[in-house]
Amino acid sequence: MTVLVVGSLALDSVQTPFGQVDDVLGGAASYFSLAASTFTDVQLVGVIGADFPEQHLDLLGTRPIDLNGLQRIPNGKTFRWAGRYDYDLNVAHTLDTQLNVFAEFDPQLPDEYRSSEYVYLANILPSLQLNVLSQIRAPKFVGLDSMNFWIGNPDTKKDLTRVIERVTAVFMNDAEIRQYTGTYHLLQAARQILSIGPRVVLIKKGEHGAMAVSREGVFVIAAYPLEEVKDPTGAGDSFAGGVMGHLAETGDISWDGIRRAMAYGSVVASFTVEDFSVRRLVSLTRSELRDRLALLRQVTEFQTDLLPAS
Amino acid sequence: MTVLVVGSLALDSVQTPFGQVDDVLGGAASYFSLAASTFTDVQLVGVIGADFPEQHLDLLGTRPIDLNGLQRIPNGKTFRWAGRYDYDLNVAHTLDTQLNVFAEFDPQLPDEYRSSEYVYLANILPSLQLNVLSQIRAPKFVGLDSMNFWIGNPDTKKDLTRVIERVTAVFMNDAEIRQYTGTYHLLQAARQILSIGPRVVLIKKGEHGAMAVSREGVFVIAAYPLEEVKDPTGAGDSFAGGVMGHLAETGDISWDGIRRAMAYGSVVASFTVEDFSVRRLVSLTRSELRDRLALLRQVTEFQTDLLPAS
């Protein structure tokens, strides 16, 4: 099956201790699409301005990513984000945000997208996420992301709760989960969110991996230990792209299927952060994914049955 | 085999959002001994004052912990530590430290301890750790802990390096590893330490588990996801106690043996933090350990072989 994503495309300028790039391809939907496209076909809904470089479109076009849902605003400027990371790569310091055409984004799905079963609502205004959901005929698995900005405002938080009530899986990072629930303890916070409706809460923890909580259990997946991290931008959206892409490819949305998809998500994200922007994702192959997944298993495997009773 | 530990016994006063205790049994050697005693016999070298409650000695005596190496200073007062944790239980805020008899601690090993093969040097002044090492005839596996205070001072750091050159395994937390090496990236920092001499570096990451780096590979062990954490004090020393206790019990110090021991260490630490002080460790049984280890495996296990080639 295909997977549909609605979210931002951006021109990012990023500084890390390991280099600097300007006006490179960024945005949640870009990372998600490229990550998911290693597994299955992607339908991308987003908005760009007249200044969006053709080469970025060409690049997305090298993968099975359908761009019919991409709106181009003739007189508009593309969403721009500038950020800096210090040695603690878990924390992004935003230097500048220019919403530009993204401020007026009103996602309209092409008719052929409305029958999509696998849908990812990347971080945008919650009321727009609701609009998107109402355009989908019979969703089977809907993933959702959000951010501190919407959680901190009572009005947008209320809308966000209405979205959460209707989705299958909430993807948020540990800080967002804590902020939304007002609960520090992650298991308890996740269970609060489950009580609103979702089947599973996927908590992203950066270099520490991710954790899923559902009524069926808890799953912890490590981040692959990398020799080098250049730019953590897009790790979370790549993780979601790997998870949703794998679920859509296999059609197995059981708890075991979700666990397996999260392992792939973690591995995809580990490639993303090895280079700036989406560079590493563009060339990512299935055999690279498989090989690193096997390594991740080696790195986390242990025996359990060797302690005698006394 | 037995395991020998040299380190602090303390009377702790701890506040967390979940309660408060005063003058309870604490100190690295207490946590380590009780954790290791689930696996094997322990020899404890430390110092206490005249005010150290008999009930704490009785409690240590309920486990296979030999106290012949415990010095009691008739006119002295026991080391006291007071600390507070806020909701972020990863960070201890020290409110008060009274070294008391610990300030003059000069560990002398009873003769029967000098043939110990498994030795843990808990966090004390590095020059004292060196003294202890020189008293051991033929160590097989020596673990070492330290702290920011010794790393930050050039003189004690120099001594610490002399200890590191001689031990098998360095147990430090992520912040200490980064501080000691001046390297943010944990894999690179661990490799710097390996180049000085140790066989393995075990990096403690609190609620995020632990990672080991050796010439044979990298191993990541999750922390068991708990429903409730009351007091994180002693988690690191309990982890080390589980690791060293299991290694001493099995005698298997291969890379696979170390990995397995770390899984037990992680599980032991997960029990420690469920209650204040050493309360939970005192009643810990081998069947509880085995059961939770099996759960930890369930929580972290995933399939690897299900992605078709294209």
Side-chain angles (χ1 to χ4, degrees):
Chain A
M1 300 291 298
T2 62
V3 60
L4 167 68
V5 55
V6 181
S8 63
L9 291 97
L11 298 174
D12 283 353
S13 296
V14 179
Q15 302 166 28
T16 81
F18 313 104
Q20 176 170 354
V21 290
D22 291 302
D23 286 343
V24 294
L25 179 56
S30 304
Y31 283 101
F32 181 97
S33 298
L34 287 162
S37 71
T38 311
F39 300 91
T40 193
D41 296 346
V42 180
Q43 297 167 329
L44 193 168
V45 173
V47 63
I48 55 177
D51 57 344
F52 194 79
E54 279 303 316
Q55 70 191 73
H56 292 347
L57 293 176
D58 294 346
L59 187 150
L60 294 166
T62 62
R63 311 281 290 200
I65 301 171
D66 185 314
L67 301 177
N68 281 340
L70 193 59
Q71 299 168 33
R72 186 163 202 153
I73 309 296
N75 300 313
K77 287 184 70 180
T78 301
F79 172 38
R80 275 180 163 75
W81 178 77
R84 191 192 76 233
Y85 300 85
D86 298 326
Y87 280 94
D88 179 358
L89 295 169
N90 285 314
V91 183
H93 305 277
T94 291
L95 302 174
D96 188 31
T97 302
Q98 298 172 28
L99 289 177
N100 299 328
V101 296
F102 200 55
E104 308 294 321
F105 185 38
D106 181 17
Q108 296 300 321
L109 272 50
D111 192 59
E112 69 271 25
Y113 286 15
R114 298 179 189 223
S115 53
S116 292
E117 295 183 348
Y118 295 85
V119 178
Y120 185 69
L121 305 169
N123 166 39
I124 57 174
L125 186 68
S127 61
L128 295 180
Q129 294 177 318
L130 270 178
N131 284 353
V132 171
L133 264 187
S134 68
Q135 297 175 51
I136 307 286
R137 292 196 190 94
K140 185 176 170 189
F141 196 104
V142 181
L144 169 75
D145 189 17
S146 192
M147 75 182 293
N148 54 1
F149 190 70
W150 313 126
I151 299 169
N153 174 312
D155 291 329
T156 50
K157 186 182 174 185
K158 195 181 290 182
D159 288 339
L160 177 59
T161 298
R162 293 174 60 207
V163 191
I164 290 176
E165 288 167 356
R166 294 180 55 186
V167 302
T168 322
V170 170
F171 292 77
M172 286 202 238
N173 69 35
D174 39 9
E176 291 158 353
I177 295 275
R178 285 168 171 147
Q179 184 190 5
Y180 178 78
T181 59
T183 297
Y184 189 82
H185 193 286
L186 287 178
L187 275 189
Q188 289 167 17
R191 295 220 168 94
Q192 272 182 256
I193 293 177
L194 291 181
S195 73
I196 310 177
R199 251 193 71 203
V200 59
V201 178
L202 297 99
I203 307 171
K204 299 174 288 184
K205 305 203 295 177
E207 65 167 319
H208 305 298
M211 179 164 90
V213 184
S214 76
R215 284 172 199 85
E216 288 123 306
V218 176
F219 177 60
V220 174
I221 183 77
Y224 180 79
L226 289 166
E227 297 296 328
E228 189 176 47
V229 174
K230 276 196 184 153
D231 174 9
T233 309
D237 295 303
S238 302
F239 169 74
V243 173
M244 295 288 302
H246 192 259
L247 291 175
E249 180 188 13
T250 62
D252 177 5
I253 58 169
S254 69
W255 176 233
D256 275 348
I258 292 170
R259 293 161 65 111
R260 197 167 55 236
M262 284 178 67
Y264 276 110
S266 177
V267 167
V268 173
S270 78
F271 282 104
T272 299
V273 302
E274 285 187 313
D275 206 341
F276 284 91
S277 181
V278 299
R279 287 178 194 163
R280 191 61 187 83
L281 282 180
V282 172
S283 67
L284 184 60
T285 67
R286 289 169 76 88
S287 73
E288 286 177 319
L289 272 183
R290 274 206 314 271
D291 291 350
R292 187 167 287 182
L293 187 69
L295 287 176
L296 180 59
R297 184 157 176 184
Q298 275 178 35
V299 158
T300 57
E301 226 171 15
F302 57 91
Q303 293 171 279
T304 53
D305 47 6
L306 288 172
L307 186 65
S310 69
Chain B
M1 298 292 298
T2 60
V3 59
L4 167 69
V5 54
V6 181
S8 63
L9 290 95
L11 298 175
D12 283 353
S13 296
V14 179
Q15 302 165 29
T16 82
F18 312 105
Q20 176 170 351
V21 289
D22 290 303
D23 286 343
V24 294
L25 179 56
S30 304
Y31 283 102
F32 181 95
S33 297
L34 287 163
S37 71
T38 311
F39 300 92
T40 193
D41 295 346
V42 179
Q43 296 167 328
L44 194 167
V45 173
V47 63
I48 55 177
D51 57 345
F52 194 78
E54 278 304 315
Q55 70 190 74
H56 292 346
L57 292 176
D58 294 345
L59 187 149
L60 292 166
T62 63
R63 311 281 290 199
I65 301 171
D66 184 315
L67 301 177
N68 281 340
L70 193 59
Q71 301 167 32
R72 185 163 201 153
I73 309 296
N75 300 313
K77 286 184 69 180
T78 301
F79 173 37
R80 274 178 163 74
W81 179 76
R84 192 191 75 235
Y85 299 86
D86 298 326
Y87 279 95
D88 179 358
L89 294 169
N90 286 314
V91 183
H93 305 276
T94 292
L95 302 175
D96 188 32
T97 302
Q98 299 171 27
L99 288 178
N100 299 330
V101 295
F102 200 54
E104 308 294 322
F105 185 38
D106 181 17
Q108 295 301 321
L109 272 50
D111 192 60
E112 69 270 25
Y113 287 15
R114 297 179 189 226
S115 54
S116 291
E117 295 183 349
Y118 295 86
V119 179
Y120 185 68
L121 305 169
N123 167 39
I124 57 174
L125 186 69
S127 61
L128 295 182
Q129 294 176 318
L130 270 178
N131 283 354
V132 171
L133 265 187
S134 68
Q135 296 174 52
I136 306 285
R137 292 195 188 94
K140 185 175 170 189
F141 196 104
V142 181
L144 169 75
D145 189 16
S146 192
M147 75 182 294
N148 54 1
F149 189 71
W150 313 126
I151 300 169
N153 175 313
D155 291 329
T156 50
K157 187 181 174 184
K158 195 180 287 181
D159 288 338
L160 177 59
T161 298
R162 292 173 62 208
V163 191
I164 290 176
E165 287 168 357
R166 294 178 57 185
V167 303
T168 322
V170 171
F171 291 76
M172 287 201 238
N173 69 35
D174 39 8
E176 290 158 354
I177 295 275
R178 284 168 171 148
Q179 185 192 5
Y180 178 77
T181 59
T183 297
Y184 189 82
H185 193 286
L186 287 178
L187 275 188
Q188 290 167 17
R191 295 220 168 91
Q192 271 182 257
I193 293 177
L194 291 180
S195 73
I196 309 176
R199 251 193 72 203
V200 60
V201 178
L202 296 99
I203 307 171
K204 299 174 287 182
K205 304 204 294 178
E207 65 167 322
H208 305 298
M211 179 163 92
V213 184
S214 76
R215 285 171 198 83
E216 289 123 305
V218 176
F219 177 59
V220 174
I221 184 76
Y224 180 78
L226 288 166
E227 297 296 329
E228 189 176 47
V229 174
K230 277 196 185 154
D231 174 11
T233 309
D237 294 304
S238 302
F239 170 74
V243 173
M244 295 288 302
H246 192 258
L247 291 174
E249 179 188 13
T250 63
D252 177 4
I253 59 170
S254 70
W255 176 232
D256 274 347
I258 292 171
R259 294 161 65 112
R260 197 168 54 236
M262 285 178 67
Y264 276 109
S266 177
V267 167
V268 174
S270 78
F271 282 104
T272 299
V273 302
E274 285 187 313
D275 206 341
F276 284 91
S277 181
V278 298
R279 287 178 195 164
R280 191 63 187 82
L281 282 180
V282 173
S283 67
L284 185 59
T285 67
R286 289 168 77 87
S287 73
E288 286 177 319
L289 271 182
R290 275 205 313 272
D291 290 350
R292 187 167 287 182
L293 187 68
L295 287 175
L296 180 60
R297 184 159 176 182
Q298 274 178 34
V299 158
T300 57
E301 223 172 19
F302 58 90
Q303 294 171 282
T304 52
D305 47 5
L306 288 172
L307 186 66
S310 71

